[in-house]
Amino acid sequence: MTKNKLIGPFVQLLTMDKLPLKGGLKDSQLEIIPNGGVVVCDGKIVRTGNFDQLYSAYSGRLTVDHIEGAMVGMPGMIDSHTHICWAGSRANDYSQRLAGKSYPEITQSGGGIGDTVSKTRAATSDELEAVLAERATTHLKNGVTTIEVKSGYCLNTIGEVKLLEVIRKANQKLAVDLIPTCLAAHIKPSDFQGSPSDYLARVVIELLPEIKHRGLSKRIDIFIDKGAFTSEEARVYLKQAKQMGFELVIHGEQFTAGGVAVACELGAASVDHLEAIKDQEIQLLAASNVIPVALPGASLGLGCQFAPARKLLDAGCSLAIGSDWNPGSAPMGDLLLQTAILGIFEKMTSAESLAGITIRAAMALGLNDRGILKKGFLADMIGFPVSDSREILYHQGSLKPSAAWKRGAIFKAGEKGITGKQEKGWYFENGSFSR
Ligand SMILES: [Zn+2]
């Protein structure tokens, strides 16, 4: 008895295959299979092609996930940058920002990241797991099947381990994949007595070995900018982390220069933000293998400029797009909407925008098993209830997927429960996935 399953027919199947990792993309480079189908076995893609031909080729020796009505299929979206494991709300900060207050003024009046840190430290693991699961499920309903999640809201050894343990536990229960990153180097916490370098040295001595020992994360992130860490401080920290075998990620060039040069020098996987990047740093990135990640959600949350996506692509850089979903600067958490907005302001082609949240985002996370619909890749797919792939960005984020498959297991809008990743069990047993 074969375990093969044929999913389709899709009016159009957008594979995101055969695209270069770097540089600008034309829409004519998109591989679109009309009347497409995907054969899946054990959570992985076996074949893609014409639905009817696939059905005949297996002469019925497969089960069929038959799609009723028009649907355009594409790889599940990948969000390569989030901070969705936090407690509390920063609505008060936001209202003050709307009223014209500056970030230092907001911080002085008890807001800012310090507020999130004290509430996240005080929260129990169960409370944090519940809010993380809720946000991750919202993302999944919106078509995001892999989510990077950073720690960084406890900023001490015990708390950062707590956050990474929460992320691991949620990942074991949820259908969506959570990719954990240690961001203990977010800022120096206000209760740490000593310099920023002393704080980073403490992280290296106390926290990083614990993360290794428990197998909690393979990735280390640091915020290089004014008010966070300098390039010099970061360089020492990152070199030590790299020696311990961690992959490096950098928050850079959000407000001031520094992060990109360090990222290129030390061979980081990605450098994220880039709202303030200058031409010289764009050239550095173009000549490197570091993936730039634009975070339009932070620009929308702060009311400031976008990363120069067009310039980066024209210079020959790759470009992933992340939501930066966090309580302070990017509370929205809608990756497709943000991608559509960045695309129209920066004049990105549909191919460039969609690659930024699929294959290029996978590369930013060092994951070479997803982001494309092709043989051997994970059967992580989403379907939009339209007949033309251009509709996806045209609706600027208001068009949501009506079905998604995680490792080949389907969950549909309106159905009870998430059946993805069944080997890990169901997380929402009472139908909280329905909408
Ligand atoms: Zn961030």
Side-chain angles (χ1 to χ4, degrees), residues 81-83 150 183 186 221 251 273 295 324 326:
H81 186 134
T82 85
H83 307 247
K150 299 177 196 297
L183 181 58
H186 205 169
D221 196 345
H251 278 68
H273 268 300
L295 304 171
D324 197 22
N326 76 72

Side-chain angles (χ1 to χ4, degrees), residues 7-16 31-33 35-38 67 69-76 354 358 373 380-389 392 401-405:
I7 303 172
F10 296 95
V11 181
Q12 294 183 334
L13 188 65
L14 202 55
T15 66
M16 305 308 291
E31 181 182 73
I32 298 176
I33 303 174
N35 190 36
V38 181
I67 291 167
M71 187 179 280
V72 171
M74 64 173 272
L354 296 176
T358 55
L373 301 181
D380 289 2
M381 316 194 300
I382 52 176
F384 291 89
V386 291
S387 353
D388 184 326
S389 61
I392 297 170
S402 52
W405 292 261

Side-chain angles (χ1 to χ4, degrees), residues 50-242:
N50 176 281
F51 180 85
D52 301 318
Q53 285 173 4
L54 288 171
Y55 188 77
S56 319
Y58 285 83
S59 23
R61 286 177 289 109
L62 37 58
T63 57
V64 181
D65 256 8
H66 203 273
I67 291 167
E68 308 292 339
M71 187 179 280
V72 171
M74 64 173 272
M77 290 186 269
I78 297 167
D79 190 346
S80 59
H81 186 134
T82 85
H83 307 247
I84 57 173
C85 194
W86 86 83
S89 162
R90 300 256 290 280
N92 185 45
D93 287 20
Y94 195 79
S95 67
Q96 289 190 61
R97 205 149 65 228
L98 290 173
K101 289 258 172 67
S102 69
Y103 187 78
E105 287 171 325
I106 292 170
T107 307
Q108 276 157 27
S109 63
I113 187 175
D115 177 49
T116 301
V117 169
S118 57
K119 289 184 175 127
T120 306
R121 280 181 181 174
T124 66
S125 294
D126 285 349
E127 288 164 348
L128 286 167
E129 193 188 328
V131 288
L132 170 60
E134 191 184 323
R135 292 173 191 132
T137 302
T138 298
H139 241 16
L140 183 56
K141 283 194 278 188
N142 290 334
V144 183
T145 51
T146 297
I147 310 170
E148 186 261 12
V149 186
K150 299 177 196 297
S151 67
Y153 287 126
C154 281
L155 307 179
N156 55 31
T157 301
I158 193 167
E160 289 292 307
V161 167
K162 172 177 82 171
L163 291 177
L164 291 167
E165 288 282 9
V166 164
I167 296 165
R168 170 153 71 186
K169 205 165 157 201
N171 182 51
Q172 287 166 352
K173 294 178 182 173
L174 292 167
V176 64
D177 284 332
L178 305 180
I179 310 295
T181 304
C182 172
L183 181 58
H186 205 169
I187 56 164
K188 178 178 85 76
S190 57
D191 62 344
F192 182 84
Q193 306 298 321
S195 68
S197 291
D198 293 339
Y199 172 69
L200 294 176
R202 173 78 65 86
V203 172
V204 169
I205 292 165
E206 274 188 17
L207 178 61
L208 299 191
E210 191 64 21
I211 290 172
K212 281 237 111 169
H213 174 66
R214 296 180 184 227
L216 289 172
S217 173
K218 296 175 183 156
R219 297 158 46 87
I220 292 296
D221 196 345
I222 185 165
F223 193 4
I224 301 177
D225 222 312
K226 68 168 193 244
F229 296 98
T230 66
S231 300
E232 292 69 36
E233 289 158 356
R235 201 174 272 117
V236 174
Y237 174 66
L238 291 169
K239 278 183 180 168
Q240 289 169 318
K242 192 175 179 179

